Amino acid sequence: MADLNFEEERINFTPVICYIDYINLHFTNYLKSNFKDITPRDFTYLANILYHPNCSQRQLADLLFVSESNVTQIVKKLEKNGFVTRTVDESNKSCKIINLTDKGKLTIFSLLKIIYEWEAKFFEEYEEDDVLKFKKMIYDYSQKSYPFHNL
């Protein structure tokens, strides 16, 4: 009878999305216990607003693969909590431009610091090239997952 390594087999046959979901569940629990006003979705929005200042709600919707009404709902909540501002675009009065407030910047930088510290601990046993390769693969996975959105 062949020697089977069930742990390795389980790892090989578990879809990557399950592992991503496990990470997200831990992150969600962390946010719930340490940041009462921030959800993982809020974090994603704040991070994208940080990386894309002066973006419109339409541009943010495109970046996040969500509807503009979804962006409006989340951004209104973030605005109410003092994390973002929405201003009318002078060149297109029907367009709202989104930016982080000082509170939003402080919050996202605090979260990023914590996440980077967690990642550093997680990746401490790996070579830098392996970490970069992993991040590139996860990024590619996230980009290639979009066609499945409409299945």
Side-chain angles (χ1 to χ4, degrees):
M1 181 173 197
D3 288 338
L4 294 176
N5 180 339
F6 290 105
E7 182 66 17
E8 188 174 311
E9 291 300 315
R10 183 186 64 80
I11 291 169
N12 288 339
F13 289 105
T14 300
V16 172
I17 196 70
C18 287
Y19 296 120
I20 292 170
D21 196 39
Y22 297 149
I23 293 167
N24 191 48
L25 289 169
H26 290 293
F27 183 57
T28 298
N29 287 333
Y30 175 80
L31 288 178
K32 282 181 184 176
S33 62
N34 292 285
F35 294 88
K36 68 176 183 149
D37 293 334
I38 302 290
T39 67
R41 175 157 292 167
D42 296 338
F43 170 78
T44 300
Y45 276 68
L46 292 172
N48 275 278
I49 295 166
L50 171 69
Y51 298 139
H52 305 280
N54 299 310
C55 67
S56 70
Q57 291 185 181
R58 173 79 259 151
Q59 290 168 323
L60 190 56
D62 290 344
L63 284 167
L64 298 173
F65 306 108
V66 297
S67 69
E68 204 166 343
S69 63
N70 183 280
V71 169
T72 300
Q73 178 185 358
I74 300 294
V75 169
K76 278 184 180 179
K77 177 187 157 212
L78 293 173
E79 184 178 38
K80 179 182 169 198
N81 289 332
F83 297 120
V84 301
T85 59
R86 292 185 305 153
T87 56
V88 175
D89 184 348
E90 292 302 317
S91 62
N92 180 355
K93 301 291 185 196
S94 66
C95 183
K96 298 275 174 101
I97 301 299
I98 308 165
N99 281 294
L100 295 174
T101 62
D102 288 342
K103 178 182 176 182
K105 289 175 187 172
L106 182 63
T107 300
I108 193 66
F109 288 136
S110 295
L111 283 167
L112 286 170
K113 179 182 181 292
I114 291 164
I115 291 167
Y116 290 144
E117 288 170 352
W118 177 82
E119 280 188 8
K121 280 186 149 235
F122 176 79
F123 289 124
E124 68 188 0
E125 295 178 18
Y126 297 92
E127 297 292 325
E128 186 176 344
D129 288 347
D130 292 333
V131 173
L132 293 173
K133 184 178 181 180
F134 174 76
K135 285 185 172 188
K136 171 89 172 85
M137 289 172 68
I138 289 293
Y139 172 79
D140 288 346
Y141 187 86
S142 72
Q143 296 301 301
K144 290 176 182 175
S145 69
Y146 179 69
F148 299 106
H149 178 73
N150 294 323
L151 288 181

